[in-house]
Structures are given as structure tokens and as C-alpha cells.
């Protein structure tokens, strides 16, 4: 059975439904620190678990005979800058708990998300390679960089089968992101439909690596199902799909909503975005487990506007 920690989050929500589709609802236990997504809570086995509580995770793994844990709980880049010690505590201790359960044999396999936030202002910005300088300037990026080191250590020293992806910004319509720097790329679709105006907290030419949620979920499942012998990276895989600027996503939306207007008021998140790469080289992921993205910017815009229009029409 599978346990998803942080199942109510932006990625956790969709990962839970995809894994339940593949493995059966009863074989995928969703958990989070609270029951904020009631549809998810009521759609299958759900447990309230604080990801910082080792015994809570261990008891759940034993009670449900869990063999695989997806650890999706974390404080992201913007929130991490407001609450640095809380971000370190949650992001690191939750990872140690799950890695130690695997080391002790309670569980067999671990998925843990990293991020392009491991890169910093000294990293080559264009087509950033898998192996390069990582001097992150955010607490979130530091936790992801150190987390990657621990994942590789537990794999090499204890044979723990932990797998990881450096997610770019992820855009989805089913659950809102929380506390990220790339969240503008989700907010902009909602505002295009709700008000026709969006005041963007990043400047218009800020290019960032991004990905539609369906591609991120496919990559996660494909990596976890890949034969262990094919995997040459046990820190975390570079992964990319598209890169775009606020201006480019605005123009993509404007082709559907001609009167849509945008203004730019960069805030503290501009410095975070400026420290990250503008595009990523994911050739090793493509080579090791046949990664291939499906959605380009316009295809993503089409799905996002179609699904959000349906949602707001029913509200
Ligand atoms: C954030 N969405 O903005 C996350 C992600 C690459 C960005 O790590 O913090």
C-alpha cells in the first residue's frame, strides 16, 4: 500500500487521485495535517498526520502495511522566507523520518520532491545541467539541496530506494498552490476569468521553468515505476517541460480572452525568481526513464481556461 503525506497540497491532491486510479482507492492512504480538502478526505482512506511526528508516520505505515511513501509536505519558497526555522523543521525532519523508516525496513520505497530552488544566482541560468553549482539563496532551496544530499547518502550507505525530481513551477486547476514564487502562473488564470485583470508579483520578462500538473504527475509515476537499475541519479532529477515569462503566459491567455489586462508590481518574490534558472537541461531524465513532456504553454492555457470556466460557471 501507498501513503501520501501532504495529500491536500497542490501536487498531493492530484497525486492521490492518480495513484488511486492506478492502484485502487483502498491501497492509497491520503494524509495531511488537517482535513482542509474535504472531497479528498471523503474519497478514500484518510489519516491526520503531522509530517514532523515520526511515531505518527510509523504507526500509520504499520497499521496500513505501507510499503511506499510519497512525502509531499513542505513549506515552499515564499513561506519559507517568512518562517525559516519552521521551513527547516518541517522540510528536513519529515524527510529524516521517512528515510529512517525505509532504512529500518518498515517501508520499501520513498518519493521525495526537490525543486529548481536548489539552484542559485551562481548557477548557469540557461539550460541548467544536472550536475552544477548549487548555492540556493532561499531557506526552501537550502532544505531541498540538503535533502538531496541525504537522499543520495541513504541510497548509497543503506540501500534505501528513494527517488526524487527537481520540480519546476507547476500549474494546475484542481488545487491552489501555497506559498510559492511560481504561484503567479496559477493565479493569472483565475483572475483572467474572475476579474479580467491581473497584477503580477513578478516582472514581465522573468523567465522560469514551468510544467503543467499532468506532466508533473506522469513524471512522478514514471520515475517511481522505472526499473531501479536504470536510475543513475539518486539525489534528484532535473526535469523540465516549458519555460515562459509573465508576458508570454499573459499573451497566451489573451488569445482566448482579448480584453484581459495585466499590470506588474514585483514584490519580495522577484529576488527569489531572479536567483533561479530560466531553463533546465533534463536530458538525463529523458535518457534514464524516457521522460517526455506533453503540454506546451498554449495547450496548458486551453485546459486551464476550459476547466476553470467550468468551475466558475458552477459557483
Ligand atoms: C515555489 N512552486 O515556487 C514552488 C517551486 C520551483 C518553484 O519549488 O516555491
Amino acid at each position: 500500500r501507498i501513503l501520501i503525506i501532504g495529500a491536500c497540497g497542490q501536487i498531493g491532491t492530484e497525486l492521490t487521485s492518480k495513484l488511486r486510479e492506478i492502484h485502487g482507492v483502498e491501497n492509497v492512504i491520503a494524509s495531511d495535517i488537517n482535513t482542509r480538502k474535504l472531497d479528498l478526505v471523503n474519497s478514500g482512506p484518510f489519516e491526520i498526520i503531522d509530517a514532523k511526528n515520526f511515531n505518527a508516520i510509523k504507526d500509520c505505515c504499520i497499521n496500513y502495511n505501507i510499503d511506499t511513501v510519497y512525502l509531499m509536505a513542505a513549506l515552499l519558497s515564499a513561506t519559507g522566507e517568512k518562517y525559516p526555522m519552521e521551513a527547516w523543521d518541517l522540510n528536513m525532519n519529515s524527510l529524516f523520518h521517512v528515510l529512517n523508516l525505509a532504512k529500518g525496513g518498515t517501508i520499501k520505497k520513498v518519493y521525495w520532491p526537490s525543486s529548481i530552488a536548489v539552484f542559485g544566482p551562481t548557477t548557469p541560468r540557461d539550460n541548467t545541467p544536472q550536475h552544477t553549482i548549487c548555492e540556493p539563496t532561499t531557506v526552501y532551496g537550502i532544505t531541498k539541496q540538503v535533502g538531496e544530499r541525504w537522499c543520495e547518502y541513504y541510497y548509497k550507505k543503506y540501500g534505501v530506494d528513494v527517488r526524487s525530481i527537481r520540480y519546476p513551477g507547476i500549474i494546475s486547476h484542481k488545487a491552489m498552490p501555497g506559498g510559492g514564487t511560481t504561484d503567479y502562473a496559477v493565479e493569472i488564470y483565475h483572475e483572467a476569468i474572475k476579474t479580467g485583470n491581473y497584477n503580477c508579483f513578478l516582472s514581465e520578462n522573468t523567465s522560469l521553468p514551468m510544467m503543467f500538473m499532468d506532466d508533473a504527475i506522469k513524471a512522478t509515476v514514471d520515475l517511481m515505476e522505472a526499473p531501479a537499475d536504470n536510475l543513475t541519479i539518486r539525489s534528484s532529477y532535473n526535469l523540465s517541460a516549458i519555460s515562459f515569462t509573465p508576458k508570454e503566459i499573459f499573451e497566451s491567455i489573451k488569445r482566448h480572452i482579448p480584453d484581459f489586462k495585466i499590470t506588474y508590481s514585483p514584490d519580495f518574490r522577484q529576488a527569489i525568481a531572479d536567483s533561479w534558472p530560466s531553463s533546465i537541461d533534463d536530458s538525463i531524465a529523458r535518457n534514464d526513464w524516457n521522460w517526455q513532456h506533453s503540454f506546451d504553454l498554449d495547450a496548458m492555457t486551453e485546459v486551464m481556461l476550459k476547466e476553470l470556466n467550468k468551475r466558475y460557471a458552477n459557483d
Side-chain angles (χ1 to χ4, degrees):
R1 282 209 180 95
I2 292 169
L3 169 63
I4 300 175
I5 300 173
C8 293
Q10 184 198 15
I11 304 173
T13 304
E14 302 214 36
L15 199 51
T16 300
S17 44
K18 173 56 80 178
L19 290 171
R20 283 179 169 167
E21 202 182 292
I22 297 169
H23 301 281
V25 171
E26 292 314 307
N27 293 318
V28 180
I29 316 315
S31 75
D32 209 297
I33 189 127
N34 58 40
T35 57
R36 66 189 185 280
K37 279 203 55 82
L38 281 180
D39 54 339
L40 182 99
V41 172
N42 298 324
S43 63
F46 185 92
E47 293 292 336
I48 291 186
I49 293 180
D50 177 346
K52 300 191 297 293
N53 182 328
F54 176 76
N55 289 325
I57 301 172
K58 182 174 184 179
D59 292 349
C60 181
C61 288
I62 292 169
N63 296 342
Y64 282 96
N65 193 19
I66 300 291
D67 57 47
T68 303
V69 172
Y70 289 74
L71 172 54
M72 307 308 290
L75 292 184
L76 300 185
S77 58
T79 309
E81 292 310 291
K82 291 178 189 160
Y83 307 104
M85 288 301 108
E86 290 79 356
W88 178 263
D89 184 12
L90 171 59
N91 296 9
M92 296 318 302
N93 288 315
S94 60
L95 177 59
F96 282 128
H97 296 338
V98 176
L99 288 176
N100 284 326
L101 283 173
K103 176 186 166 197
T106 305
I107 58 176
K108 299 271 172 300
K109 212 169 180 182
V110 175
Y111 179 76
W112 177 77
S114 183
S115 159
I116 60 164
V118 298
F119 302 118
T122 53
T123 306
R125 287 178 55 77
D126 298 320
N127 212 28
T128 300
Q130 175 73 44
H131 302 290
T132 185
I133 302 161
C134 288
E135 295 176 320
T137 52
T138 62
V139 172
Y140 171 70
I142 292 167
T143 68
K144 291 303 181 182
Q145 180 191 26
V146 170
E148 290 186 3
R149 298 289 92 235
W150 279 112
C151 288
E152 190 178 83
Y153 184 88
Y154 268 70
Y155 170 74
K156 286 185 172 164
K157 191 148 173 112
Y158 309 119
V160 167
D161 186 0
V162 51
R163 305 180 187 197
S164 178
I165 287 173
R166 287 169 179 166
Y167 286 133
I170 295 179
I171 290 98
S172 65
H173 51 80
K174 290 181 188 159
M176 288 307 283
T181 299
T182 57
D183 298 0
Y184 89 88
V186 177
E187 293 171 2
I188 192 168
Y189 286 109
H190 288 263
E191 290 310 314
I193 292 169
K194 285 193 310 189
T195 63
N197 300 288
Y198 181 59
N199 184 27
C200 185
F201 57 72
L202 296 183
S203 61
E204 68 176 330
N205 295 318
T206 307
S207 175
L208 286 172
M210 298 280 195
M211 180 178 287
F212 184 50
M213 178 64 81
D214 292 17
D215 274 333
I217 298 297
K218 180 178 185 312
T220 308
V221 171
D222 287 356
L223 171 59
M224 288 299 275
E225 290 181 353
D229 294 347
N230 293 8
L231 305 183
T232 60
I233 299 292
R234 288 293 182 156
S235 49
S236 186
Y237 277 93
N238 271 14
L239 199 76
S240 95
I242 44 186
S243 286
F244 55 76
T245 64
K247 189 165 184 286
E248 288 165 333
I249 188 172
F250 164 70
E251 282 161 0
S252 174
I253 295 170
K254 201 168 162 63
R255 284 192 275 281
H256 296 263
I257 305 176
D259 296 340
F260 184 35
K261 303 256 183 307
I262 191 167
T263 50
Y264 299 96
S265 311
D267 68 11
F268 74 99
R269 289 167 285 192
Q270 185 63 48
I272 297 175
D274 289 343
S275 75
W276 291 346
S278 52
S279 62
I280 300 287
D281 171 7
D282 60 1
S283 48
I284 297 181
R286 291 173 192 265
N287 176 59
D288 283 8
W289 41 280
N290 302 319
W291 160 245
Q292 174 60 44
H293 76 278
S294 311
F295 288 83
D296 65 11
L297 176 54
D298 286 334
M300 178 171 76
T301 293
E302 218 157 305
V303 175
M304 286 295 287
L305 292 178
K306 178 166 156 271
E307 293 303 325
L308 290 178
N309 270 315
K310 266 194 265 176
R311 165 111 61 88
Y312 286 112
N314 295 336
D315 278 0

